[in-house]
Amino acid sequence: MKRLGILLSGRGSNFEAIADQVAAGQIDAEIAVVISSRPEARGLEVARRRGLKTLCIPSKGMDREAYDALLIHELRDHAVDLVCLAGFMRLLSASFVRAFPERILNIHPSLLPAFPGLDAQKQALEHGVKISGCTVHLVDEFLDAGPIVLQAAVPVRDDDTVESLSARILVEEHRIYSAAIRIVLGGQFHIEGRRLIAHPRAV
Ligand code: GAR
């Protein structure tokens, strides 16, 4: 059975959606460990309540390489096959990325490469785009970069607020994250340049 490591910093709704899919047998894997960079993260509490192995490794004030070395140690210790960033609000070092080649996924609430970084939904709204969405991508050492596994689009309405747009995007986030995990976990893809090509039976 493949083993997932979840990294989160906050609410943890993407983690919950993944955990639901795992529990329903829709993702052929188990959640080996849930690690939070913040002790107050709601996602950590949710994971505890679900009886999952949780760890809090506070990142505040820590040097990036030292922090990432701790993360690598724990993820290896738990024999994690795929690392899923689920609202994990830290940029990972090149050494972390090298430790899990093509085995780290991130979800971002915009159609990348538009609006990387913080407050993506607010950026989209302020820019005036008519369509936004979300992206699941493999992680490299750059911010919200790396080959795209799946994207989903949602309309931006004239009366949208950051909250209403975020809520519409979040529904799609929960759907495509699990689908992307299935593709990557099964190794049912190859990469050509920046393009990740999912093999037909994986989609
Ligand atoms: C999600 O919208 C996710 O896409 C975003 O943080 C939120 C976490 O929600 N991630 C980023 O902006 C990463 N750059 P959650 O904790 O409920 O899953």
Side-chain angles (χ1 to χ4, degrees), residues 8-12 36-46 48:
L8 54 77
S9 305
R11 181 178 54 184
S36 174
S37 59
R38 293 187 188 145
E40 71 279 12
R42 174 187 169 272
L44 201 55
E45 185 51 39
V46 173
R48 279 194 203 111

Side-chain angles (χ1 to χ4, degrees), residues 56 74 79 92-93 101 138 142 163 168 174 188 198 200:
C56 183
E74 290 298 344
L92 293 164
S93 61
L138 291 177
F142 302 106
E163 289 71 32
R168 193 175 308 119
H174 293 168
Q188 296 154 355

Side-chain angles (χ1 to χ4, degrees), residues 10-15 86-87 89 106-109 117 121 144 170 173:
R11 181 178 54 184
S13 75
N14 276 288
F15 149 64
M89 299 317 233
N106 182 41
I107 182 127
H108 184 75
Q121 304 95 329
D144 298 327
L170 196 63
E173 292 189 38

Side-chain angles (χ1 to χ4, degrees), residues 147 191-195:
I191 293 176
E192 293 173 16
R194 275 200 49 89
R195 302 180 70 201

